[in-house]
Amino acid sequence: MAAYIIQMHENVLQTCIPVKYMDVEIAYVGDGAGTDVYVGLVGTHGELYRYLFHVGLGVESADNPHMIPNMAVSSEINELKIISNSSEPYHLVIRIYCRSGEGQLIGVLSEHQMIKLAN
């Protein structure tokens, strides 16, 4: 199992341009048949997003990598959680593309910048 958590808000990158949207890309790089993944964003008003999907092995696979586009980011602090059910270590590659309100790419976060809870 892998579990990652990061606090998301519009100033997460500490730049003068606030983050308004993010695209979450998750790829499976393990040796098995793939894994089921949960991606959720929870705020003070409850769950904002919930995505459940399967990422598989190989570049040819239609579900690897899996992209969740245009997730809105607010000024409130929300927790982004990414959890998989594979017991194989280092089986996911995660990238979060942070964009401005105009769609301009501001920065990219990886799993190394998240708090890793398990693996």
Side-chain angles (χ1 to χ4, degrees):
M1 180 180 140
Y4 300 90
I5 187 168
I6 188 171
Q7 288 190 338
M8 295 297 300
H9 52 85
E10 64 184 15
N11 295 322
V12 70
L13 295 180
Q14 299 176 352
T15 65
C16 60
I17 303 170
V19 174
K20 293 296 183 183
Y21 299 99
M22 62 183 180
D23 301 332
V24 178
E25 179 183 42
I26 298 175
Y28 182 75
V29 293
D31 292 332
T35 186
D36 295 323
V37 178
Y38 163 83
V39 176
L41 189 67
V42 179
T44 56
H45 302 293
E47 189 173 62
L48 303 173
Y49 304 109
R50 179 191 312 163
Y51 298 94
L52 300 170
F53 54 91
H54 182 83
V55 287
L57 182 64
V59 179
E60 295 83 19
S61 177
D63 53 356
N64 190 31
H66 187 88
M67 179 71 80
I68 303 170
N70 300 322
M71 293 176 68
V73 178
S74 70
S75 59
E76 293 183 17
I77 295 176
N78 301 307
E79 285 190 344
L80 176 67
K81 297 177 181 178
I82 301 173
I83 302 169
S84 77
N85 67 348
S86 176
S87 60
E88 183 179 338
Y90 309 110
H91 60 278
L92 291 180
V93 174
I94 301 167
R95 288 188 190 93
I96 300 172
Y97 300 92
C98 299
R99 297 185 288 116
S100 68
E102 292 78 37
Q104 175 188 14
L105 182 65
I106 302 170
V108 180
L109 301 171
S110 70
E111 68 267 21
H112 301 291
Q113 288 139 329
M114 299 177 163
I115 296 172
K116 193 170 188 179
L117 300 177
N119 198 357

